[in-house]
Each structure stands twice: as C-alpha cells, then as structure tokens.
Amino acid sequence: MKPQDFDFLSSLLRRRSGLTLNPDKVYLLESRLTPLARRSGMESLDGLIAELRKSASEQLMRDVTEAMTTNESFFFRDRTPFDLFRDQVLPMLRQRRAATKKVRIWCAACSTGQEPYSLAFVLKQQEAQWRDWKFEIIGTDIARPVLQKAKEGIYSQFEVQRGLPIQLLMKHFKQEGDVWRLSEDIRKMVTFREFNLLDNFAALGKFDVIYCRNVLIYFDQSTKSNVLERMRKILPDDGALFLGAAETVLGITDKFRPVRGQRGMYLPSDADQNLMAPAS
Amino acid sequence: MKSCLVVDDSKVIRRVARRILEELDFSIEEAVDGKDALGACERMSPDVVLLDWNMPVMDGLEFLKQIRGRSDLRQPVIVFCTTENDMNHIRLAMEAGADEYIMKPFDREIIEAKFAQVGLM
C-alpha cells in the first residue's frame, strides 16, 4: 500500500470512529478492506481507495469503518466485571437508588451483544429481588451488522461456549440447527442503538453504570481522554465505570480513579460520595 | 499443579487436548474409554476429567453414572467434551452429574473458559 493511501485511510478512520492506526497495521487494512473491495464490485483495494477519494460515498465510508472495527466479544468476558456488578454494584445501587428504583446501564461499543446480555443474565438470576425496579440496559456500537446480530440474539456453537455457563445455555437458549437463539425474555431486557463514541453523549441521557471495555485501546491519547471526560459528565457522583483489563485511566484523565482490589472498576475521582461508600 | 484425565478413544483428540491443557499448566493422564477411565480415577484421583461421550467398551455417560456412585473415590470435576451437541444430550449429562459441557470442535479458549467456569482456573 502506498504511504499516501495509508494516510488517507487512517485519517478517514480516525475522523469517523476515533480508530488510530499505526503504519505497522497496513496488513490489517489490507486484510479487512480487500474483501470489502471485492464485495463492492472492485478488483482490488486500490480500486476501493480510488472510489473513496473520488465519490466520498457515505455508504462506502461507513462500510470501511465497519469493516475496520474489531468485534470480538464473548459472554462474561474476564468474569471480574460481572462478579463486581453482582457483588458490589448491585448491592450499593439497591441502597442508593431506593427512592427511584431506576437504574440505567450503558454498554458502549457492545459489539454483538454478549456484554449487555451477560449483565441481563445477572439481573435475571436475581429477578425476585428486583421485582418493582426498572433496569434499562443500553448497548451501543458504531457498526450496524454487529448490532443487528446482537438484536437477533443468534450465536454460533463456538460463541455460546466462550464464557457462557452451560446452565445458562440450557435455561435461556434454544437450538436452531447449527445456531443458538437467545430467549425473548433476555433479549427484551436490552435495547441496542447505533452510536459513535465521538458523538455527543447528551442524546443517550445519564447512566448509573457504564461499561466501556476494550474499545479505548484503539483510540489515541487525546480521544481516550475526551471520551472518558465526557463519560464523567453523564455519570452521577455515585456512578461506576468499567474498562477493559488492558485499559486504565492513569495518565489519561483525572476524572476517574481505580478502585483498589477491584480490577477494571473506576469511580469519579471528584465526587464526595461514591458508589462504594455506604449511603448517608 | 492440577491433574486432568483426558478420556477419548481418538488419539488425535487426546493429543490436542493434552497440548492445550499442558499449556494451561495441568498434568495429564489419558484413558481410551470409560472403563479405562474408572481404573485411572482409582489410581490417580484426578482433579478434573475431560470426557468424550461415544467410546467403545464403556461410554462417557455410563462412566459418569458409575463414578458419581462411587463414594469411596474423591469426586473429580467432570467436563463432557463431545460431538453430541443437542439439548437432550446436554440435559442427560448435567442430570447425571456433569459439571460443564463442551461441544466439539473445541479450542484453547473454550477449554479455558469452561474450566474457569467450574473454578479450575
């Protein structure tokens, strides 16, 4: 790939999705965009780049962005964030939201839906304890094909074996030929929306808990910092943020602080009362 | 180091499972059918058994029923690992006392996830 073509594509991706690509990722561009070029009726990646330059087609730019997003996901990924949700976050929310009995959770960059559905499984297991509460779980992603898959709740045999306990498979999935379909009662606990993390969060409203795992790693420092600072604005002082195991706020923003001993969990650092403190 | 008994009549499957499990820091013993596996359990008392279903001499389900009835043996964690990938087989295995269930084909990620599920990782 010519250096000017790499610059063109990486600049396009950065502008549209925040994705930062170093020149050592040329292979990634080639391996993901060559199939897209062929599907779009072009002979090669050069043809796709020429078409993008010439037409600046919104559809084609969107297809390129979607092809370059990483959509690996699995149920209960890393386990700890879901154990913490069950053992730390939910008990504190029970105290702190006792007046409203409303909780909003955002899974940012939720890919094919396993993360929000894992939270839904946790809530479903405690259904009797939360009978008159309203939980809203919103899953967003920039890529429409993965959101469509998330909404349908259809997973391959491989996908349902990565992190999902067999008891949950038996209880909440129905086998349909080679695939497994998630039950309606779990699917209706999650709402999916197309959303770009570079856009204004105001349209989403406020959240009590945000899961933003394994997405910031694809952004440059200033985009990471910008996203986290805007997330702080839509979290109340006693809200909680979860990042991926390989991610941190240290050196990126001072709006959040890690919780000692609770890997991946972050609280607003400027709040007098945070989620982990007992309600006064 | 935890011990795993890999029970499968296929040499290829035993070899693949051994490679993955050794990478995950398990010590491995092998058995070629349910009867062979019962003997191995008496000898070595494994922490976990990775168990195929369809095998000659004694199949995996029969092995599971027999070992769960043996109060004289330390009970291992039992993870089925089989091409039987329908809900009926899964239910039969779980009702007979299996702890987890892997549908073949498997890879390292699946074994790791399933073993973590039952507290082995």
Side-chain angles (χ1 to χ4, degrees):
Chain A
M1 181 180 290
K2 298 183 203 109
Q4 61 268 37
D5 286 345
F6 175 83
D7 291 345
F8 170 73
L9 286 173
S10 64
S11 153
L12 170 76
L13 288 162
R14 187 193 201 119
R15 199 171 62 247
R16 291 186 66 96
S17 69
L19 178 67
T20 302
L21 286 177
N22 294 321
D24 64 347
K25 292 289 194 297
V26 165
Y27 75 93
L28 199 61
L29 282 169
E30 289 175 344
S31 64
R32 296 212 182 158
L33 297 185
T34 303
L36 171 64
R38 299 213 173 104
R39 279 202 307 278
S40 309
M42 292 151 218
E43 278 187 13
S44 66
L45 182 51
D46 287 346
L48 178 79
I49 294 167
E51 182 62 27
L52 277 170
R53 286 186 194 277
K54 190 175 77 182
S55 69
S57 150
E58 175 61 27
Q59 181 61 46
L60 202 52
M61 286 195 285
R62 182 188 276 276
D63 289 346
V64 165
T65 308
E66 288 179 350
M68 288 309 298
T69 52
T70 296
N71 294 310
E72 188 182 82
S73 184
F74 40 97
F75 292 102
F76 295 98
R77 186 174 189 177
D78 301 329
R79 282 179 66 193
T80 307
F82 304 96
D83 291 346
L84 287 173
F85 179 68
R86 184 193 59 214
D87 300 335
Q88 307 279 344
V89 174
L90 285 177
M92 294 311 292
L93 286 172
R94 178 179 290 285
Q95 284 187 40
R96 296 185 159 273
R97 299 294 178 270
T100 60
K101 297 191 172 177
K102 283 185 184 165
V103 175
R104 297 189 82 227
I105 303 162
W106 178 22
C107 292
C110 69
S111 185
T112 40
Q114 286 94 328
E115 182 178 80
Y117 285 141
S118 297
L119 295 171
F121 288 135
V122 173
L123 288 170
K124 192 73 178 171
Q125 283 173 325
Q126 302 189 356
E127 195 173 25
Q129 302 170 41
W130 300 96
R131 208 162 282 288
D132 50 350
W133 286 63
K134 185 171 188 290
F135 280 88
E136 213 178 329
I137 307 175
I138 316 252
T140 67
D141 203 279
I142 192 173
R144 288 167 306 167
V146 294
L147 283 173
Q148 186 56 37
K149 181 179 160 84
K151 282 180 199 166
E152 288 168 357
I154 297 175
Y155 298 96
S156 69
Q157 181 173 297
F158 185 73
E159 288 167 318
V160 295
Q161 297 202 88
R162 297 172 86 197
L164 189 71
I166 197 73
Q167 288 83 359
L168 291 182
L169 181 77
M170 291 165 70
K171 197 168 177 185
H172 297 298
F173 286 79
K174 193 174 164 209
Q175 193 172 20
E176 295 181 357
D178 292 340
V179 297
W180 297 79
R181 183 188 287 274
L182 184 57
S183 64
E184 173 75 22
D185 61 334
I186 297 291
R187 276 189 286 141
K188 72 183 184 195
M189 292 172 74
V190 181
T191 308
F192 291 99
R193 285 176 64 169
E194 183 185 345
F195 188 76
N196 186 337
L197 288 177
L198 300 185
D199 289 345
N200 190 333
F201 295 165
L204 298 172
K206 297 229 172 199
F207 292 94
D208 302 291
V209 186
I210 298 176
Y211 281 74
C212 181
R213 303 170 62 227
N214 307 304
V215 57
L216 295 182
I217 45 173
Y218 299 107
F219 295 166
D220 64 21
Q221 288 290 99
S222 66
T223 310
K224 283 179 194 177
S225 149
N226 176 272
V227 168
L228 288 171
E229 282 168 21
R230 288 186 295 122
M231 282 184 170
R232 171 65 187 98
K233 289 182 184 159
I234 57 164
L235 263 187
D237 286 359
D238 57 1
L241 167 73
F242 286 88
L243 299 181
E247 296 167 323
T248 181
V249 299
L250 300 174
I252 297 166
T253 177
D254 58 4
K255 300 288 183 194
F256 290 96
R257 64 174 177 82
V259 184
R260 189 189 298 264
Q262 318 285 25
R263 192 164 170 216
M265 186 173 177
Y266 299 82
L267 302 176
S269 49
D270 54 348
D272 291 335
Q273 285 285 309
N274 64 49
L275 187 74
M276 303 308 288
S280 51
Chain B
M1 183 183 270
K2 289 193 166 74
S3 56
C4 179
L5 175 65
V6 176
V7 189
D8 203 303
D9 57 333
S10 158
K11 193 175 175 181
V12 175
I13 296 288
R14 291 200 307 273
R15 194 167 61 222
V16 171
R18 172 185 280 275
R19 184 175 47 76
I20 292 171
L21 287 160
E22 282 180 347
E23 281 173 14
L24 296 173
D25 213 21
F26 282 83
S27 68
I28 308 299
E29 289 289 329
E30 295 180 17
V32 297
D33 59 48
K35 194 173 171 207
D36 192 19
L38 273 177
C41 285
E42 286 164 0
R43 276 196 317 278
M44 64 171 283
S45 188
D47 294 303
V48 53
V49 178
L50 188 70
L51 182 64
D52 187 21
W53 193 301
N54 296 305
M55 294 176 289
V57 186
M58 184 192 289
D59 69 19
L61 188 64
E62 184 56 33
F63 162 82
L64 174 61
K65 287 175 180 168
Q66 291 210 15
I67 194 147
R68 288 303 188 228
R70 291 282 298 269
S71 54
D72 58 319
L73 293 179
R74 184 171 77 109
Q75 289 296 314
V77 171
I78 294 193
V79 179
F80 254 105
C81 183
T82 169
T83 51
E84 301 295 351
N85 66 352
D86 60 278
M87 204 60 105
N88 285 340
H89 279 86
I90 296 173
R91 283 194 202 288
L92 271 176
M94 299 311 286
E95 282 164 14
D99 296 287
E100 256 298 345
Y101 197 101
I102 293 171
M103 296 174 270
K104 290 176 183 170
F106 60 90
D107 64 3
R108 180 186 158 132
E109 278 182 339
I110 289 175
I111 293 216
E112 205 170 352
K114 291 287 186 180
F115 275 36
Q117 216 54 255
V118 289
L120 288 163
M121 307 289 300

